[in-house]
């Protein structure tokens, strides 16, 4: 009797569509476009023949609206900085200012700035003229330092002022051009105003729905009613062009990860007739947050 081993879960199951003919074990198997089939044999007799899998099924198009959850903080790069040189002995100080708009006050909000090798000391950072505190975390990269500004912002326009004391040889450079906000927010259609995080999202790219510069994993989930299916019939879940990698989770169990097409998995063993929980966990690249490239994602 042949058994198949699932290389993703390690589970073994007796192969269906198998029969014994004298000294031969006959197995009918449909080869997929992807994946591997690992088979081992036992000393017991083969299974009795069962009905072949139903090949001509039908598609259930899932509703367009999904529950949405970003597993990391969203990102907004602050590009427009104005430089002022403040006179002070023995060396002048450099003051950089910028502003951003907030329709809501996020539950958490950090300002990330690159380390400044040309600075003689850590810069003083003011948000709405209140000095912020640097914290010892680097949620994006070790080359960035974090400043907690969550309790200092208001709805409307918020002003950030950074005062540095560069070394004598350093020229005034816009060293804050890669500074960014990260936190629990989404962005409006102009990709500039902070809004509340999205809890639902239409099928499609999160880049166009408030997360243009988000890099990481986000989940799309919904409950789906699946009708009664015949013994031997197989059930698949297929995603249309997720970017860039997708994991299929069915009723709380992982059914597989697909980093390239075809983006589908066999979920026959995980689904049941009636209500089923379908979740797609999509992961994109770092380009969106690190290079501010709003690549289609999700």
């Amino acid at each position: 009797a042949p058994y198949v081993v699932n290389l993703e879960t390690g589970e073994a199951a007796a192969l269906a569509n198998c029969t014994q003919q004298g000294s031969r074990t006959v197995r009918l198997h449909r080869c997929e476009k992807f994946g591997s089939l690992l088979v081992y044999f036992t000393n017991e007799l083969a299974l009795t023949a069962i009905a072949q899998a139903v090949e001509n099924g039908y598609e259930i198009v899932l509703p367009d609206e999904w529950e949405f959850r970003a597993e990391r903080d969203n990102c907004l790069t602050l590009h427009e900085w104005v430089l002022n040189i403040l006179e002070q002995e023995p060396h002048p100080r450099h003051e950089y200012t910028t502003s951003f708009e907030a329709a809501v006050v996020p539950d958490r909000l950090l300002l990330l700035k690159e380390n400044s090798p040309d600075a003689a000391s850590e810069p003083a950072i003011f948000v709405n003229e209140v000095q912020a505190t640097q914290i010892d975390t680097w949620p994006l990269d070790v080359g960035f330092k974090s400043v907690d500004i969550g309790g200092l912002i208001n709805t409307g326009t918020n002003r950030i002022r950074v005062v540095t004391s560069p070394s004598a040889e350093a020229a005034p450079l816009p060293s804050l051009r890669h500074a960014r906000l990260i936190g629990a927010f989404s962005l409006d259609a102009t990709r500039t105003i902070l809004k509340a995080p999205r809890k639902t999202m239409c099928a499609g790219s999160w880049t166009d729905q408030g997360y243009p510069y988000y890099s990481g994993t986000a989940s799309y989930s919904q409950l789906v009613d699946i009708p009664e299916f015949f013994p031997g019939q197989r059930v698949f879940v297929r995603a249309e062009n997720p970017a860039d990698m997708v994991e299929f989770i069915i009723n709380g169990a992982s059914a597989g990860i697909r980093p390239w097409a075809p983006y589908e998995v066999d979920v026959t063993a995980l689904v049941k007739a009636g209500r089923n929980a379908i979740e797609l966990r999509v992961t994109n690249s770092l380009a969106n947050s690190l290079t501010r490239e709003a690549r289609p994602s999700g």
Side-chain angles (χ1 to χ4, degrees), residues 39-82:
V39 179
Y40 72 92
F41 294 85
T42 69
N43 291 327
E44 62 190 84
L45 293 178
L47 303 176
T48 57
I50 63 173
Q52 295 189 30
V54 177
E55 296 293 340
N56 297 321
Y58 55 89
E59 289 189 346
I60 300 175
V61 179
L62 303 186
D64 192 48
E65 186 175 73
W66 296 74
E67 293 184 14
F68 178 81
R69 181 175 63 89
E71 297 187 3
R72 298 184 62 184
D73 285 332
N74 203 3
C75 179
L76 174 63
T77 301
L78 302 171
H79 281 295
E80 304 298 328
W81 292 88
V82 176

Side-chain angles (χ1 to χ4, degrees), residues 183-207:
F185 59 82
S186 65
L187 296 173
D188 73 333
T190 67
R191 300 178 176 178
T192 59
I193 301 176
L194 273 56
K195 298 180 61 178
R198 296 286 300 266
K199 294 184 178 180
T200 62
M201 190 171 289
C202 294
S205 175
W206 63 56
T207 298

Side-chain angles (χ1 to χ4, degrees), residues 90-202:
H91 303 295
R93 294 180 300 160
H94 297 168
E95 179 189 69
Y96 301 88
T97 59
T98 190
S99 62
F100 65 93
E101 300 289 327
V104 298
V105 176
D107 293 337
R108 60 184 181 277
L109 189 65
L110 297 179
L111 170 66
L112 268 61
K113 66 176 187 63
E114 287 183 296
N115 293 330
S116 302
D118 62 336
S121 61
E122 284 298 323
I125 299 176
F126 300 86
V127 179
N128 297 325
E129 298 310 318
V130 179
Q131 187 166 0
T133 304
Q134 183 170 294
I135 58 178
D136 294 327
T137 62
W138 41 281
L140 184 65
D141 185 85
V142 71
F144 288 83
K145 292 189 175 181
S146 305
V147 180
D148 187 355
I149 65 172
L152 304 179
I153 73 166
N154 308 302
T155 57
T157 302
N158 294 268
R159 183 171 181 263
I160 300 177
R161 184 165 63 94
V162 179
V163 181
T164 66
S165 299
S167 61
E169 298 80 13
L173 295 174
S175 59
L176 292 169
R177 63 186 178 274
H178 297 304
R180 62 202 67 204
L181 302 175
I182 66 168
F185 59 82
S186 65
L187 296 173
D188 73 333
T190 67
R191 300 178 176 178
T192 59
I193 301 176
L194 273 56
K195 298 180 61 178
R198 296 286 300 266
K199 294 184 178 180
T200 62
M201 190 171 289
C202 294

